[in-house]
Amino acid sequence: MKSPVALKRVVRTTAVLGCASVLTLGTLTACTDDSSDSSSAGETSSLPSNAATGDPIKIGFITPEGGAVMTPMVREGGEAAVEYLNNNGGGIGGHKIDLVVCKQQEEPASATKCANQMVEEKVSVVVSPLGAQGAVMLPIVAGAGIPYVAQAPVSQAEMATPGSFMLSGGIVAVLAGQAATAAKDGLKKVSLIIGDSGDAAASVKALGDPMFQRAGVALNVVTIPTGAADLTPQITAGLADNPDAVSILGDTRQCISVLGTAARIGDI
C-alpha cells in the first residue's frame, strides 16, 4: 500500500493462494507477469536415479478445478512433484506415492464428495493446497482420523480443528500485515474485495475487522459472486466511499475481473 499523498487510489493484489505438493511448497501470486527470460537460465543438470520401490502410500490431493475458481496449474504441479519423487527422489522413505486427485468446484456439494472419496479410498493424508471449502471438507477428513494439510488457513475451522495442519499463516498473516502497513502509511479506509466461495468472506471480516480497528483503519469487506459475468454493481458499491487502498483476495481470474471492472468504471 502507498500513502494517499503519493497516490489517491491504489489497487493492490494480495497473494493468499498457494500450492503445496506432498513435500514442496510454492505460491501463486494473482495478476503478475508470467513472462521470463530463458536466456538467463543456467545449465540443466541430470536428475538423480533413485526410484521408489516400496509399497505405495496414498496421498489425497483436492484442488479447485472445473468451477468458478480454476487452478489446473496446482494439480499439474502436484503431479509433477510426485512423478519426480517417485522416479528420482526415493518417494517417501522409499515408498512410492499414489496421488489420489479429486477436483472440487468451490461449492459444498463437490467438496463434500471429494472429502468422502478420500475417506473411502483410505488415504494416509489429505493435501488441499488451495480453495475456500476447508470448513466443508475438514470435519469429514479429520473425523475419519486423516490429517488435513493446507497451504494456508482460510476458514476458522482450519485454524482450530485438531488434525488440521497449515503451512503458513494464511489470511491471518495477510490481514495483520495489511493493517500494519495501512496504519504506517497513514491510510484511513481500506476496501478488501473477495469472492463469495465457502466461508472465506465471513472469516476475513471476522478476523480483519478487529485487526484493522486496532490499527485505526476502517475496513470494508466487499463480497463478489465468483461466477458473475459483470461485477459492476458490487465494485461500484464497494468503492463508493473512496477508500485509500483496495486489496483483492482471489485467484487470477477474479483479480483480473475486478481490476478490469474497476478500470472500466473509472476507479483506477
Side-chain angles (χ1 to χ4, degrees):
M1 296 179 184
K2 297 182 183 297
S3 168
V5 175
L7 187 60
K8 182 178 180 181
R9 176 70 56 73
V10 179
V11 175
R12 298 285 288 181
T13 302
T14 303
V16 294
L17 304 182
C19 60
S21 65
V22 178
L23 295 178
T24 61
L25 170 65
T27 58
L28 293 173
T29 304
C31 293
T32 56
D33 184 358
D34 293 330
S35 62
S36 60
D37 182 4
S38 59
S39 64
S40 63
E43 294 183 3
T44 59
S45 58
S46 60
L47 297 175
S49 178
N50 182 21
T53 57
D55 294 336
I57 297 175
K58 281 189 176 182
I59 304 295
F61 195 87
I62 303 176
T63 180
E65 196 168 342
V69 177
M70 291 286 289
T71 58
M73 70 291 292
V74 175
R75 171 183 50 79
E76 293 164 356
E79 292 170 341
V82 168
E83 182 179 358
Y84 169 80
L85 289 171
N86 283 341
N87 296 331
N88 311 99
I92 296 178
H95 293 271
K96 183 179 179 180
I97 301 168
D98 181 7
L99 195 66
V100 180
V101 176
C102 188
K103 304 171 184 177
Q104 58 97 354
Q105 285 80 56
E106 277 299 274
E107 45 77 34
S110 60
T112 299
K113 181 179 179 180
C114 281
N116 285 328
Q117 178 186 337
M118 299 301 143
V119 175
E120 292 167 1
E121 298 209 26
K122 295 181 171 61
V123 301
S124 297
V125 61
V126 169
V127 178
S128 180
L130 291 178
Q133 296 297 318
V136 173
M137 300 184 293
L138 183 53
I140 299 171
V141 173
I146 302 172
Y148 178 92
V149 180
Q151 187 268 333
V154 175
S155 66
Q156 297 188 55
E158 291 167 293
M159 302 174 199
T161 302
S164 175
F165 302 91
M166 302 293 109
L167 303 182
S168 76
I171 196 62
V172 176
V174 169
L175 292 172
Q178 288 186 343
T181 302
K184 180 181 177 181
D185 285 354
L187 306 182
K188 297 303 180 183
K189 293 184 294 184
V190 173
S191 286
L192 189 152
I193 301 174
I194 185 170
D196 61 359
S197 177
D199 68 347
S203 294
V204 164
K205 182 168 179 58
L207 293 167
D209 278 347
M211 290 182 184
F212 277 77
Q213 186 176 17
R214 285 194 296 270
V217 181
L219 177 66
N220 178 26
V221 178
V222 181
T223 304
I224 58 173
T226 55
D230 183 11
L231 302 178
T232 301
Q234 292 82 10
I235 302 303
T236 300
L239 302 181
D241 63 343
N242 294 313
D244 298 314
V246 176
S247 174
I248 307 169
L249 306 186
D251 70 346
T252 304
R253 291 195 307 177
Q254 288 176 325
C255 180
I256 293 173
S257 180
V258 170
L259 290 173
T261 301
R264 188 171 64 252
I265 63 179
D267 277 297
I268 301 181

